[in-house]
Amino acid sequence: MKKSIDWQFPYWFREFTRPAGFKGIHGGRGSGKSESVARWFLLLSIQEPDTDFLCLREIQKSIDVSVKKLLDDIIEKLGLQCYFESLRDCIYRIDSGERK
């Protein structure tokens, strides 16, 4: 079953979506960098299920405040649990888009 999702990104994020071998974003706290990139990776992984992503962020002392936690929060907020399975230290894309 296809789901309609409101994928909103900041105005400056358009540059990030252009093709490039490596991408990076810099800026101050609270500018939406981490959440925008996390949303983008989730969108791309739904559209292109065979694509793998490596998400890196500054060192955190616990996985509870890591990029994985951010991805888990966005998956829950957007109701994308049917597309992803979150384990302790990784998130897998569910191929069919439906829970088994």
Side-chain angles (χ1 to χ4, degrees):
M1 177 175 92
K2 291 202 174 199
K3 178 179 173 97
S4 176
I5 302 165
D6 184 14
W7 297 96
Q8 294 183 2
F9 295 97
Y11 72 91
W12 54 262
F13 196 73
R14 183 174 294 178
E15 274 302 310
F16 187 78
T17 64
R18 294 191 180 165
F22 297 95
K23 298 179 185 216
I25 299 175
H26 69 279
R29 283 194 148 173
S31 63
K33 297 179 305 294
S34 294
E35 181 152 343
S36 295
V37 172
R39 284 175 177 257
W40 181 246
F41 283 165
L42 292 172
L43 171 63
L44 289 179
S45 68
I46 290 170
Q47 291 177 337
E48 303 289 336
D50 294 331
T51 303
D52 293 324
F53 297 96
L54 171 64
C55 300
L56 303 171
R57 192 168 147 187
E58 68 184 74
I59 296 172
Q60 301 291 336
K61 294 182 191 242
S62 162
I63 199 149
D64 293 338
V65 291
S66 70
V67 69
K68 182 184 176 298
K69 171 74 168 131
L70 174 63
L71 289 165
D72 284 338
D73 290 347
I74 294 171
I75 288 168
E76 184 177 338
K77 180 179 175 180
L78 297 178
L80 301 176
Q81 296 91 335
C82 63
Y83 293 104
F84 302 97
E85 181 175 0
S86 182
L87 303 177
R88 187 182 68 77
D89 58 356
C90 61
I91 300 172
Y92 289 100
R93 167 76 165 80
I94 299 172
D95 291 334
S96 67
E98 296 181 19
R99 284 230 177 254
K100 298 176 184 172

